[in-house]
Amino acid sequence: MRALIQRVRDAQVAVEGEIVGKIGAGLLVFLGVGPGDDEDVLEKVLQKISKLRIFEDEAGKMNRSLLDLGGELLIVSQFTLYADLSQGNRPSFTGSAPPAIAEPLYLRALARAKEMGIPTQGGRFGADMKVTLLNDGPVTLWLEQQP
């Protein structure tokens, strides 16, 4: 599983002009599912994301997590995180999980984050989405968890 994590002041995702997910201060996570991923991998990723100490404390140091802050989470599915750029000029996406595997894990990510007490919004799996964000920092991190 791959996650591109961005600390944001706010972010939103729209499908066909309709806002389907919107958050204030917190994290925007683009989530890519690989073919071997399962709920155990997802749990590790969500635990890591929720506890990353990447928000500033009173002294201006990155010492607070999303859970500490009470921040929000916007998770957007993004199979292109598994793009293979090694051959030619057209990316290959054969390394990403097929929708039958990826969609249930994406939906589980949304549900599980909410179960963890994190105010969570999402995009729409498989849709042409328009994402708008105000990156805070900027702080952008890459997380990869193997099955």
Side-chain angles (χ1 to χ4, degrees):
M1 192 166 284
R2 294 177 179 172
L4 182 68
I5 304 160
Q6 296 187 309
R7 189 177 75 182
V8 297
R9 296 276 174 103
D10 58 65
Q12 69 180 32
V13 59
V15 176
E16 296 180 5
E18 173 193 354
I19 296 172
V20 297
K22 183 176 182 176
I23 64 166
L27 297 175
L28 167 61
V29 175
F30 294 102
L31 187 68
V33 178
D37 292 340
D38 58 19
E39 285 201 33
D40 290 337
V41 173
L42 175 62
E43 184 66 23
K44 289 175 186 172
V45 167
L46 289 176
Q47 288 295 327
K48 178 65 86 173
I49 289 169
S50 68
K51 296 175 183 173
L52 283 171
R53 295 178 7 182
I54 58 173
F55 293 94
E56 294 177 356
D57 63 13
E58 302 77 25
K61 303 268 186 199
M62 281 205 245
N63 276 327
R64 298 183 73 202
S65 70
L66 185 66
L67 291 172
D68 295 333
L69 180 72
E72 299 176 86
L73 182 60
L74 177 60
I75 305 174
V76 177
S77 66
Q78 190 165 357
F79 73 95
T80 60
L81 292 177
Y82 276 89
D84 179 357
L85 306 175
S86 64
Q87 300 290 320
N89 295 316
R90 181 178 300 205
S92 169
F93 301 108
T94 58
S96 64
I101 293 172
E103 185 173 15
L105 279 175
Y106 170 69
L107 295 174
R108 181 66 187 134
L110 296 173
R112 180 64 185 119
K114 290 175 185 176
E115 290 169 5
M116 295 168 70
I118 302 168
T120 303
Q121 297 281 311
R124 190 171 296 154
F125 187 89
D128 179 16
M129 296 176 277
K130 308 300 181 210
V131 180
T132 306
L133 66 130
L134 179 57
N135 200 317
D136 183 14
V139 174
T140 303
L141 304 168
W142 176 258
L143 173 63
E144 187 161 1
Q145 180 68 49
Q146 300 297 324

